Amino acid sequence: MSDIQPVSHALGVLSEILRREKSRGKTHLAIAEASEKTLTEMPVNFMIAAQNSQAGAVSVSSAPEKTADVQRNEEWARKELNAIFKEVKTCEVCRSLGTLRDSVVFATGNPMADLMFVGEAPGAEEEKERKPFVGPAGQKLTQIIKAMGLSREEVYISNIVKFRPKKGDGRFQGSSNRKPDSTEMEACIRFIRKEIEVVAPKVIVALGATAAEGLLERGGAISSLREQRHEFAGVPVFVTYHPSFLLRQESEPNAEKARASKRKVWEDMLKVMEHIGMPVSEKQRGFFS
Ligand code: URA
């Protein structure tokens, strides 16, 4: 590494590489003598993180470590996020896939939010406005956020993949969208990891199975994922249905089914509010009773 970088950054990069190798089934890695020397000479908080991690893999640097390293304030967070945005714009790996469109759709909201929503990838509307969740699914998400007594400006909203996935060669795709695949998510995952490190939310909400799979590196039905406890980079992750799923159900004749799914999402949000320590009014608690 030629540039001088904060230790937390190095830790993030290294943990990303190790995590990827581990998910590919690697159990051992050769380390060059010079690299080993550099690692062992790194400051003590780096080594503690390494020792605390499972099975000898370096753990992902979590928000509290970051807090200790730097003076966190909104100005700092904006600057850091801006730097990540610039990195996304020049992401060679993302471009080299050839399956993602050109425009970057980064994130929106409070750079120091307690609550972070993470979706899968932008769609046509998002690409047009260069903002996540501004199309129909975004309007549904806004309703959910408002029902929690919050505004979009108070939370942080982002996606794992920062470019709209191409359909075919992307030339004639009009408004049709597709989910990102695992390669595309893998190419972009380091960005959301860095965003989490900067924003340091108390809770992450993964919207839908694809976002959950990208963050948690495990598939599965939302019905079971939402019942389990998860973590990403040391931050609790709550999995819930994607707002598009709610919209699809609303457009179908079975109103009871649609209401049941909305109720589940709302139950998840009540858990999130409780976890953050937000007050929950009687009205909020009784929305679906
Ligand atoms: N769906 C997502 O997952 N993200 C968006 O930004 C819009 C729709």
Side-chain angles (χ1 to χ4, degrees):
M1 211 185 292
S2 54
D3 289 349
I4 302 290
Q5 299 277 359
V7 168
S8 53
H9 174 80
L11 187 55
V13 173
L14 186 56
S15 67
E16 195 52 57
I17 295 166
L18 291 175
R19 178 185 281 272
R20 203 169 52 212
E21 293 304 315
K22 196 173 163 210
S23 73
R24 288 177 177 154
K26 272 238 173 96
T27 54
H28 292 80
L29 285 175
I31 300 182
E33 209 174 304
S35 308
E36 194 172 350
K37 188 165 178 289
T38 309
L39 283 170
T40 49
E41 283 169 4
M42 272 195 152
V44 75
N45 61 350
F46 181 99
M47 296 318 290
I48 289 169
Q51 282 160 17
N52 288 345
S53 63
Q54 288 170 0
V58 177
S59 74
V60 176
S61 76
S62 65
E65 275 171 47
K66 185 87 182 178
T67 313
D69 286 346
V70 296
Q71 188 64 39
R72 296 186 76 246
N73 58 37
E74 204 174 314
E75 194 191 331
W76 166 83
R78 278 192 200 288
K79 248 169 73 187
E80 294 283 311
L81 291 171
N82 217 17
I84 303 168
F85 179 38
K86 282 187 187 144
E87 271 187 61
V88 176
K89 284 202 255 184
T90 56
C91 176
E92 293 282 335
V93 181
C94 311
R95 306 264 172 231
S96 69
L97 296 177
T99 58
L100 297 170
R101 289 165 64 92
D102 289 338
S103 308
V104 176
V105 178
F106 192 56
T108 183
N110 178 356
M112 298 190 72
D114 283 345
L115 175 55
M116 178 184 284
F117 288 94
V118 178
E120 51 197 38
E125 307 269 352
E126 287 75 22
E127 182 184 56
K128 215 183 301 162
E129 292 200 33
R130 307 274 169 96
K131 277 196 197 135
F133 283 100
V134 289
Q139 284 156 25
K140 192 54 141 184
L141 178 62
T142 306
Q143 280 174 13
I144 295 168
I145 293 168
K146 280 195 179 146
M148 297 170 86
L150 295 167
S151 65
R152 282 176 68 105
E153 291 70 35
E154 286 173 286
V155 301
Y156 186 87
I157 304 172
S158 196
N159 281 307
I160 296 181
V161 174
K162 310 300 190 192
F163 309 83
R164 182 177 168 213
K166 280 184 188 171
K167 269 189 137 180
D169 67 6
R171 275 187 302 167
F172 308 108
Q173 101 178 59
S175 61
S176 76
N177 300 315
R178 73 161 168 85
K179 288 178 188 300
D181 63 27
S182 55
T183 311
E184 291 160 344
M185 290 199 281
E186 199 179 300
C188 287
I189 194 75
R190 67 195 167 102
F191 301 122
I192 195 74
R193 190 182 295 284
K194 287 182 180 190
E195 289 167 82
I196 291 166
E197 212 177 278
V198 172
V199 178
K202 288 184 180 161
V203 169
I204 298 165
V205 175
L207 296 165
T210 310
E213 189 190 323
L215 281 182
L216 308 172
E217 289 177 6
R218 52 181 293 193
I222 294 286
S223 53
S224 66
L225 290 174
R226 59 185 284 276
E227 304 286 347
Q228 296 158 21
R229 296 172 75 91
H230 310 278
E231 262 193 16
F232 182 82
V235 181
V237 176
F238 288 69
V239 177
T240 196
Y241 293 97
H242 195 285
S244 305
F245 173 75
L246 299 183
L247 289 176
R248 273 199 305 280
Q249 288 211 324
E250 275 174 16
S251 68
E252 285 170 12
N254 191 340
E256 231 356 270
K257 209 165 142 200
R259 189 176 157 78
S261 301
K262 269 198 267 185
R263 177 201 286 266
K264 284 181 192 157
V265 171
W266 185 240
E267 282 165 4
D268 296 338
M269 294 309 106
L270 289 177
K271 283 189 211 150
V272 165
M273 290 168 76
E274 276 160 13
H275 189 92
I276 294 175
M278 286 173 66
V280 179
S281 69
E282 280 310 307
K283 188 173 164 208
Q284 283 171 320
R285 210 170 282 289
F287 269 167
F288 280 88
S289 50

